[in-house]
């Protein structure tokens, strides 16, 4: 969810925030459907300060959660390795022995 929030906020800033033609009317170049061109006023939502604050909050929350998850993964991974490193080395050596025996058996 944080990645979706971050990407949505960044894409919104790039494509929909502001007073450009595309931001106000996605299909501004066509005249067939008047709902999607300048005949239909788009309102002031895309230029409102509240909307800008919402997008900035989405970016900050997405980045903060990503950094927190990265830090927690490194921290907990280090603790797991510190606590179970010797047992993990034994298991990996046993797996290596099994793969060597399987290779000899195949020949």
């Amino acid at each position: 969810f944080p990645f979706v929030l971050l990407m949505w906020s960044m894409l919104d800033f790039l494509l929909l925030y502001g007073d450009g033609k595309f931001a106000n009317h996605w299909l501004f170049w066509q005249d067939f459907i008047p709902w999607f061109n300048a005949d239909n006023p788009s309102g002031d939502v895309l230029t409102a300060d509240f909307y800008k604050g919402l997008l900035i909050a989405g970016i900050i929350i997405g980045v903060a959660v990503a950094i927190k998850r990265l830090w927690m993964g490194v921290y907990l991974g280090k603790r797991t390795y510190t606590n179970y490193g010797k047992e993990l080395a034994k298991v990996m050596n046993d797996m290596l022995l099994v793969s060597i025996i399987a290779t000899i058996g195949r020949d």
Side-chain angles (χ1 to χ4, degrees):
F1 177 75
F3 178 76
V4 173
L5 180 65
L6 175 66
M7 288 295 113
W8 177 80
S9 299
M10 288 174 58
L11 284 175
D12 242 11
F13 257 127
L14 290 173
L15 298 176
L16 299 178
Y17 180 75
D19 201 20
K21 283 185 177 181
F22 183 77
N24 288 325
H25 307 288
W26 291 1
L27 299 174
F28 63 89
W29 62 84
Q30 59 86 31
D31 291 328
F32 182 70
I33 304 173
W35 293 338
F36 300 120
N37 60 25
D39 293 341
N40 185 17
S42 62
D44 296 331
V45 174
L46 300 175
T47 57
D49 289 335
F50 179 74
Y51 184 63
K52 182 180 179 182
L54 206 62
L55 292 178
I56 291 172
I59 290 172
I60 290 172
I61 289 170
V63 168
V65 170
I67 290 171
K68 180 199 73 122
R69 286 184 179 179
L70 175 68
W71 181 80
M72 287 298 292
V74 169
Y75 173 73
L76 293 176
K78 187 170 69 172
R79 276 187 53 192
T80 301
Y81 181 75
T82 301
N83 290 337
Y84 303 109
K86 292 179 182 178
E87 290 88 356
L88 180 61
K90 289 178 187 176
V91 170
M92 291 178 73
N93 284 331
D94 291 343
M95 289 174 54
L96 183 60
L97 179 64
V98 169
S99 68
I100 290 171
I101 292 172
T103 303
I104 292 172
R106 198 173 353 142
D107 295 335

